[in-house]
Amino acid sequence: MANGRDPRESGSMESPGHRTRAGKAAPPAAYGRALQGVAYGDAMVDGTSPLVARRAEREQDREASGRPWYARPTLPSRVGVVIPTRDRPGLLPHMLGSLLMQSHRPERILVVDDGDDSAEGVVGRYPGVEYLRARVGSGLSGNPARNVGLRELADLPYLCFLDDDDMIPPDYLEVLLATIATDCRAAAAYPRLRFCGSHDGVWSFPYDPESLGRANISGVPALIRTDALMQVGGWPVFSSGEGGAIPHDDWALWRRLRDHGWRMIPAPVDYYYYRHGDGVCRSKARADAGEEWRRTIDPAGLVTLAIPWSGREHLMDEVLGAVAGQSYPADRLHVLFYDNSGSAAVGGRLRRWLLEQDGYAGHSYHRDPRPAVAGLSASDLADAPLDERGQGRRRHGRSLNHRVGALWNRIGQLVETDLVWCLEDDVIPPPDALDRLLDRMGPMVDGVTASYRSRVVPGCRVAWRYTDLETGDLVHLEAGTGVEAIGGAGLGCALVRREVFRAGPARSGGEAVGYDCNLWLDVARRGGTLLMDWDLRCEHRIGVSECEEDLDAMQDVGAMA
């Protein structure tokens, strides 16, 4: 800005107080000039924009046509507005001014001041606007102050949380209300973000529940159902991590709402988002979504460990010990056991083990004893020897492919978290396996796999690269180093996005040779990414002796040298 001053700053700063409600109007020039030159789109007609009028007509037609019950409004149109502010009172007038020009006037407007530089004097010039001093230590996040506002206005059915340095068009609340009223299952209606100031452009995304696992779709200024917000415990508040970084807390809220069964609706209205050097989103202490992906996700977000058990009793203690020894916090891990062993003894051991573990966020046990081949146990089938007719062929291989593909398809539908750590019951991961897989995961990554040797292709890992995406032709990969993008891999030790399974299923018959080959082939055809961490090595217990395991490891080291 010229002369280092924001042209929107106005007003004086007065002595701090507690709660006030202004009793006199501000002169129109205090905010009228700030609104000039902003294109709001449709002109107002009798206090209602044509866009909202058209939406209302569509809703009346929908009602008359007998559309489903959930398309009907279920709450009165009473709205409260919460504006957290901290040490920048000079930026408040344009937001407060645009609020007083709303075609749908909010029932209450509350400014929650968490700063040292009091904004009470500025707020006092706007009629009907309440001021509340709250020392809650918002810092880089306004969520503590937003939760103060939530408690104060919790009796209103809808709340809209706005930033103190932005601006909204006159029909903003009206359009958001008309949008959210179309579906009582919607927790929030969110606007397009139109950037101004030091950065311009438009940020607009459709709602897709699976896409929330990769990226945020909305900023803070949404209209939210109060009951939905109360159900998830309000705005999430996190402590800062290494280097003072904090997660993207609005993104965390949308994911929590989704995980509780709510949805969101984009609204055809702009929110004028002012970008400047003092804004939170420009702070280096905010986590970067690309380079520091783990810091961007909700720390309370869980990972599901999914293991299909075939009945290999001789390996159970070792696999369970490796699970219990993981460095990843147990209280953020949900454990899902899918028991296909058909053995009462195996099932009993698995259930007892789960009941003895009190540190996990949750656990579930599912039994599916259907055999893939009559007369053969799941364990016998899983460990069937190679067929002498050729490399890569196993006895009963087709039946096994159908059955294991079905298991993973079912697991993919049972999982409730964005990320699934897939582990097979004959693969032993190192203690830091899940932490390292998470470190490699990113917003544009569909999966990350560890390295373990193949049962059916000697000298190779359970990993491949597609040579032809149309036909599904592939070549198996030998050992490597570092992290690289590959075509596909087994699910022996892999961190996979739930949406990979939901977009599936894993086809056990198709262009490629197996259910996992087809699963990743479909991902590759969609332009997805699978990463291999060659240095994250797991033991694949496939019936060889310990000395053969050592020899194989030595050969791998030699191949990498």
Side-chain angles (χ1 to χ4, degrees):
M1 296 297 177
N3 301 324
R5 178 176 176 81
D6 191 319
R8 301 176 305 166
E9 290 186 322
S10 62
S12 60
M13 294 169 283
E14 301 179 6
S15 59
H18 299 284
R19 182 199 306 275
T20 63
R21 184 187 293 268
K24 61 180 181 178
Y31 49 84
R33 285 192 299 270
L35 298 175
Q36 292 178 357
V38 177
Y40 291 124
D42 294 334
M44 304 296 291
V45 179
D46 297 329
T48 303
S49 71
L51 181 139
V52 174
R54 288 195 299 271
R55 181 179 291 277
E57 291 175 358
R58 289 197 299 270
E59 288 307 305
Q60 291 173 359
D61 294 339
R62 181 180 298 179
E63 292 285 348
S65 65
R67 292 289 295 276
W69 61 271
Y70 55 75
R72 301 171 183 168
T74 60
L75 294 175
S77 300
R78 298 166 56 220
V79 181
V81 174
V82 177
I83 306 174
T85 189
R86 183 182 176 88
D87 295 335
R88 48 188 189 188
L91 299 182
L92 273 167
H94 80 298
M95 174 54 79
L96 296 178
S98 60
L99 270 171
L100 296 186
M101 297 178 66
Q102 289 297 294
S103 57
H104 183 100
R105 291 293 295 272
E107 187 162 321
R108 293 178 66 183
I109 302 173
L110 176 64
V111 175
V112 181
D113 189 352
D114 185 34
D116 298 321
D117 193 357
S118 174
E120 185 176 12
V122 174
V123 175
R125 302 202 313 269
Y126 293 85
V129 179
E130 301 173 57
Y131 175 85
L132 178 62
R133 189 77 162 183
R135 298 302 186 102
V136 289
S138 296
L140 287 172
S141 170
N143 282 1
R146 292 185 184 101
N147 284 331
V148 171
L150 170 61
R151 291 192 294 269
E152 293 290 323
L153 308 186
D155 59 329
L156 296 175
Y158 297 106
L159 293 177
C160 189
F161 296 84
L162 304 175
D163 289 340
D164 59 354
D165 56 344
D166 298 327
M167 185 165 57
I168 56 177
D171 61 349
Y172 186 75
L173 295 178
E174 187 178 2
V175 175
L176 290 178
L177 276 168
T179 301
I180 201 171
T182 62
D183 193 339
C184 65
R185 301 167 298 178
Y190 60 97
R192 297 181 294 256
L193 299 184
R194 187 171 295 277
F195 298 114
C196 52
S198 62
H199 179 75
D200 60 8
V202 177
W203 197 50
S204 178
F205 294 97
Y207 176 68
D208 176 12
E210 293 294 348
S211 71
L212 279 175
R214 295 180 182 271
N216 195 1
I217 63 170
S218 174
V220 167
L223 182 74
I224 306 176
R225 287 178 57 116
T226 306
D227 59 337
L229 190 53
M230 295 293 286
Q231 284 183 11
V232 299
W235 289 88
V237 177
F238 308 126
S239 58
S240 61
E242 182 181 352
I246 60 173
H248 290 221
D249 34 25
D250 48 1
W251 183 15
L253 175 63
W254 313 141
R255 294 174 64 178
R256 289 186 181 184
L257 289 168
R258 176 206 61 184
D259 292 343
H260 283 73
W262 294 96
R263 61 187 63 191
M264 300 170 67
I265 306 178
V269 67
D270 289 331
Y271 179 88
Y272 292 91
Y273 196 109
Y274 184 51
R275 299 297 295 271
H276 55 101
D278 294 331
V280 168
C281 287
R282 298 300 299 276
S283 171
K284 293 181 179 179
R286 294 288 295 207
D288 179 81
E291 297 179 1
E292 301 181 38
W293 181 81
R294 286 188 68 172
R295 297 186 192 177
T296 70
I297 62 176
D298 183 351
L302 307 177
V303 176
T304 295
L305 165 61
I307 306 179
W309 294 90
S310 65
R312 297 180 173 103
E313 291 191 66
H314 62 291
L315 294 178
M316 288 181 65
D317 289 339
E318 196 165 2
V319 174
L320 291 173
V323 169
Q326 288 297 303
S327 58
Y328 185 77
D331 59 359
R332 292 178 56 189
L333 188 65
H334 183 102
V335 179
L336 186 157
F337 287 168
Y338 199 93
D339 181 9
N340 184 231
S341 67
S343 166
V346 169
R349 287 184 63 185
L350 292 175
R351 291 194 297 273
R352 284 194 301 272
W353 188 88
L354 289 173
L355 292 174
E356 292 168 356
Q357 311 303 310
D358 58 0
Y360 291 109
H363 59 75
S364 55
Y365 172 85
H366 304 268
R367 181 169 55 190
D368 184 356
R370 294 174 295 169
V373 177
L376 279 182
S377 70
S379 179
D380 291 337
L381 185 62
D383 292 323
L386 297 182
D387 196 310
E388 296 178 356
R389 289 179 297 174
Q391 176 178 294
R393 296 180 181 271
R394 299 174 65 181
R395 296 178 187 175
H396 310 294
R398 181 173 298 179
S399 297
L400 180 65
N401 183 45
H402 292 325
R403 189 71 190 115
V404 179
L407 297 182
W408 282 115
N409 284 336
R410 182 62 181 141
I411 288 172
Q413 304 308 306
L414 292 170
V415 167
E416 300 293 337
T417 59
D418 285 322
L419 299 174
V420 190
W421 181 26
C422 304
L423 188 66
E424 294 180 350
D425 65 350
D426 60 349
V427 174
I428 313 299
D432 60 348
L434 181 52
D435 270 313
R436 290 176 61 175
L437 291 171
L438 278 165
D439 286 339
R440 303 295 186 245
M441 180 59 75
M444 303 310 296
V445 177
D446 295 272
V448 184
T449 181
S451 171
Y452 58 98
R453 64 195 184 92
S454 173
R455 179 191 300 271
V456 297
V457 186
C460 290
R461 298 295 176 181
V462 187
W464 52 86
R465 185 169 286 110
Y466 297 103
T467 57
D468 190 324
L469 291 182
E470 183 175 350
T471 63
D473 292 343
L474 55 84
V475 292
H476 295 276
L477 303 178
E478 299 179 358
T481 58
V483 178
E484 68 170 316
I486 61 174
L491 298 176
C493 183
L495 185 67
V496 182
R497 290 191 179 277
R498 174 181 57 182
E499 64 190 83
V500 169
F501 294 104
R502 298 288 174 91
R507 298 173 289 116
S508 51
E511 300 89 335
V513 295
Y515 72 91
D516 44 6
C517 300
N518 282 306
L519 180 70
W520 292 112
L521 176 63
D522 291 342
V523 172
R525 286 171 171 173
R526 296 193 297 266
T529 300
L530 172 66
L531 298 180
M532 163 66 81
D533 184 348
W534 290 108
D535 299 327
L536 176 54
R537 304 170 67 81
C538 302
E539 296 181 53
H540 193 187
R541 297 301 177 85
I542 55 179
V544 297
S545 66
E546 183 175 344
C547 62
E548 288 175 315
E549 284 275 4
D550 293 341
L551 178 60
D552 181 76
M554 293 174 62
Q555 290 173 341
D556 288 339
V557 171
M560 291 186 293

